[in-house]
Amino acid sequence: MTELLIDGSIVALYFAAMVGVGYWGYRQSESLDDYFVAGRNIPLWMYIPVMSAVILGGASTIGSGGLGYEHGVSGAWLTIWLGVGVAAIGVLISTDLANLEAYTIGDILERRFDQYSGTVGAAIAGVYALTIAITQIIAIATALNALFGIEMTPMIVVAGIIVVIYTALGGMLSVTITDFVQWFIMTFGIFLLALPLGLVEVGGVSGLSAELEPSYFSPTGIGVSTVVSYFLLYCLGIMIGQDIWQRVFTADSPETARIGNIATGAYAIFYGIATAVLGMIALILFPGLDNPDLALPMMVLEVIPVGLSGLILAGFISAMMSTADSALLASSTLFTNDVYKRFVDDDASDERYTMISRLLILVLGAGATATAVWIGDVVNALTLAYNLLVGSIFVPIFGAFFWKGATWQGAITSIVVSNVAVVGSMVLYGFGSDLPIVIGLAISLVCFVVVSVLTGPPSNREDTEWIDTESTEHFE
């Protein structure tokens, strides 16, 4: 009981601090740029931690630990592909994204094609971002369930309320500060406490090797088909995620965005391997768990000294909260900027748009929490989100940057038809199949190219005016 009180108090204090930061952000946000993109002033030394915190959430921590528990070191592939995807953004498009000074994916699609492509793309990206928030709320509740032994439903409600409050209050300013703190906690907890202490508990790397089958140390132990599936879902998906792009928009220069994304990708690869190894350690200590997602929280609570275990668990929760808050803000930003502003009131003040975004966070957050109670499964929710995102809008988004012959007719046809194909394929083949995303990508590419060729050439606006790479006035 004393141990629970100490560890629980540490986690509770951490939650209280996050709400406090949310209130600070509320007092500091003076413009729409502050609320949506933290004033576009985030330097490199802060950008790398906060971008890392965004991508390394429940899937990368609790999820990768569970995969490590089941499959060994190859469970790291999920997080490795996330890292590769973020690094690819840095190499391919981060400079253009920073120069565009946009708020959303919908902005990009509208500037390159038309408002209908922007709206439909934003709606899909908004559903994706909201689904990511749902998965993180479930993951936070899983950690709280392991700590307090209380049923999942009340833990999901608690997690949802806390994330919604501090995100709605301060917007991107609050999210940036909390993510910066959360990155240090999760890095300290994973690399300096959980990993070394866990290895000591099982007799080091040699003890790990002696206890587990050789397949647990194979990079393809999880199966080549699963590795390919993770590439399609997570690598391609992270490259067009609104939560990731919105972080790019916060960079103080294109150079910060480029270097920061590449460095974040490298960090994510090491993080994925570390959490998979922690899952392997948990397998030795707690064989036969019904729910592999409990492997990491249980290991921490059992083998780490009281007090430190609460700190590490707070680090795990930090990883999930940092992704949840960014995803929730991303969803609110998309619906505020690409639906409300575009179709309801296009001439309101910054204060009005900020208020609408806060209200949307409350509404969407309540819906996300209720859905989390209903779904209760992180993997299925993530699969749904990434299938829709990658299968429907990956092709037109990257086509906007790399093919001058693309037209708005090709973009909107590609998005709508492939979205129907993805949903239909998921109904037909199920969530566990790779076919929905493959079918969606193939149909999207065919529609995009064929319709663009038939309706081309694009107008001058589409072809030359949508992006001005020389326009770096904000950064000078």
Side-chain angles (χ1 to χ4, degrees), residues 61-121:
T61 306
I62 299 296
S64 288
L67 290 172
Y69 185 91
E70 292 184 290
H71 305 287
V73 71
S74 62
W77 275 111
L78 187 155
T79 307
I80 289 173
W81 283 131
L82 291 175
V84 171
V86 169
I89 293 175
V91 173
L92 296 174
I93 61 173
S94 62
T95 298
D96 285 343
L97 287 179
N99 282 328
L100 279 164
E101 297 189 24
Y103 289 134
T104 67
I105 285 175
D107 277 344
I108 306 297
L109 289 171
E110 180 180 10
R111 292 184 196 182
R112 179 61 176 86
F113 300 118
D114 72 323
Q115 68 171 341
Y116 302 107
S117 301
T119 301
V120 176

Side-chain angles (χ1 to χ4, degrees), residues 290-322:
D290 292 332
N291 182 4
D293 285 346
L294 290 174
L296 260 62
M298 285 187 63
M299 187 202 74
V300 167
L301 292 171
E302 290 293 329
V303 306
I304 308 299
V306 177
L308 285 178
S309 58
L311 182 62
I312 296 175
L313 200 58
F316 289 167
I317 294 171
S318 294
M320 305 161 212
M321 290 181 72
S322 60

Side-chain angles (χ1 to χ4, degrees), residues 59 61 85 89 151 157 263 383:
T61 306
I89 293 175
E151 292 183 1
V157 173
T383 301

Side-chain angles (χ1 to χ4, degrees), residues 195-196 198-212 217 277 280-281 284:
L195 191 58
L199 285 172
V200 168
E201 189 72 20
V202 298
V205 176
S206 59
L208 204 62
S209 302
E211 292 287 339
L212 298 177
F217 299 89
V277 171
M280 296 163 66
I281 294 171
I284 295 174

